[in-house]
Amino acid sequence: MAHELPPLPYAYEALEPTIDKQTMTLHHDMHHGAYVKNLNAALEKHPELAGKSAEDLIRDLNAIPEDIRAAVRNNGGGHVNHSMFWKIMKPKGGGDPTGPIAEAIQKTFGNFNDFKTKFNDAGAKQFGSGWAWLAGKPNGEVQIMSTPNQDNPISQGLYPIFGNDVWEHAYYLKYNNRRPEYLTAWWNVVNWDEINRRYAAFKAGKGAHEPAMAHR
Ligand code: MN
C-alpha cells in the first residue's frame, strides 16, 4: 500500500519548447520520484498512517507524529504538489481560460492579463524554492499566494486549485536564473480543462474532506 509515482500523462518532450525534455525527465523521475520514496520511508515508522492519502497526511500536519512530521510535510507535500503539476499542464495547452475558472478570474482580478501579472509576481518574489498558487478559500472565493519549499495551501485550510513550481529544478536548465521568463512562458502549457475540474471540486465543497486525486 505504498505511495506510488504516477506516470507522466504525456511524453517527456511533449511540453517543448516551453519545458525541455531533460528538465521534465529529471523533474518527474528523480525529483518527484525521491519525494515518493522518502515519504514511504518515513511512513514505515508509523504503519497506522498507511491508509491515509497524501492529501490527508498534509491536511493536518499537527496530527502527524513529531519524528516524521518534517519528512511528511516536505515529501508528502512534494508528492501532492507534483501529482497536480503534471496534470495541470498539457501539450498544446495555454490560451485564455475557459468555463467557470475564467469567470472566477475575471470576477476576482478583473481580467486574465492582470491575474497572470499578479500570479507571476507571486512566483518571482517567492525567495528561494517554492510554489505560486491560485487557492480556494473556505468562503468560496479565490486568492493568489505563494508557499515556501513543498508546502501546499491545503495545510492552511485552503484548496490548491493550481500552482506553478518555482524551484530551480523546474526551469534552470533552459531558463537559467531567469525565473520571470519561465513564469511568463509557462502559461503556454496550462491545461484549463484540468484546472476547471479542480475548481469544480473546490466549489462542490470537496476540498475540505476529499483527496484531489484518486490514486494514492
Ligand atoms: Mn518540482
Side-chain angles (χ1 to χ4, degrees):
M1 288 297 285
H3 295 268
E4 290 180 4
L5 176 65
L8 201 63
Y10 35 74
Y12 292 110
E13 66 271 25
L15 302 183
E16 289 191 351
T18 303
I19 306 179
D20 59 285
K21 180 180 181 179
Q22 189 183 10
T23 294
M24 289 299 289
T25 305
L26 292 168
H27 199 176
H28 176 271
D29 293 6
M30 307 307 287
H31 289 278
H32 190 176
Y35 298 129
V36 173
K37 185 168 173 253
N38 293 336
L39 175 63
N40 286 328
L43 293 174
E44 275 177 19
K45 297 169 195 142
H46 291 275
E48 74 275 14
L49 299 175
K52 284 189 176 287
S53 71
E55 284 90 350
D56 283 345
L57 289 170
I58 63 168
R59 182 170 286 120
D60 185 6
L61 285 164
N62 287 326
I64 303 298
E66 199 174 358
D67 62 324
I68 63 164
R69 191 175 298 151
V72 168
R73 179 178 187 166
N74 292 331
N75 296 291
H79 181 32
V80 171
N81 293 348
H82 290 84
S83 297
M84 168 211 71
F85 190 56
W86 314 129
K87 287 177 151 185
I88 58 134
M89 301 189 290
K90 69 172 184 180
K92 301 193 176 87
D96 288 341
T98 54
I101 193 67
E103 292 166 27
I105 286 170
Q106 186 165 18
K107 183 181 168 202
T108 310
F109 305 99
N111 60 68
F112 182 44
N113 272 333
D114 285 353
F115 166 69
K116 276 196 292 190
T117 299
K118 286 175 180 154
F119 187 99
N120 292 353
D121 200 43
K125 285 181 175 162
Q126 171 59 41
F127 184 76
S129 298
W131 291 73
W133 299 95
L134 181 69
K137 300 193 275 188
N139 67 3
E141 295 174 354
V142 298
Q143 69 176 45
I144 289 169
M145 63 187 291
S146 64
T147 57
N149 305 314
Q150 294 296 351
D151 287 359
N152 185 294
I154 207 170
S155 305
Q156 302 176 40
L158 302 167
Y159 190 92
I161 299 168
F162 73 96
N164 189 5
D165 189 343
V166 302
W167 283 58
E168 285 185 347
H169 68 221
Y171 64 85
Y172 208 87
L173 292 178
K174 180 177 172 78
Y175 297 92
N176 306 140
N177 62 328
R178 304 183 303 278
R179 187 191 288 185
E181 195 178 309
Y182 157 73
L183 284 160
T184 300
W186 180 75
W187 298 99
N188 291 323
V189 293
V190 162
N191 180 349
W192 290 114
D193 292 337
E194 174 65 9
I195 290 169
N196 265 307
R197 192 194 67 75
R198 296 179 65 90
Y199 181 67
F202 159 62
K203 294 300 274 188
K206 292 181 176 176
H209 41 79
E210 278 187 26
M213 57 181 181
H215 60 266
R216 298 184 62 243

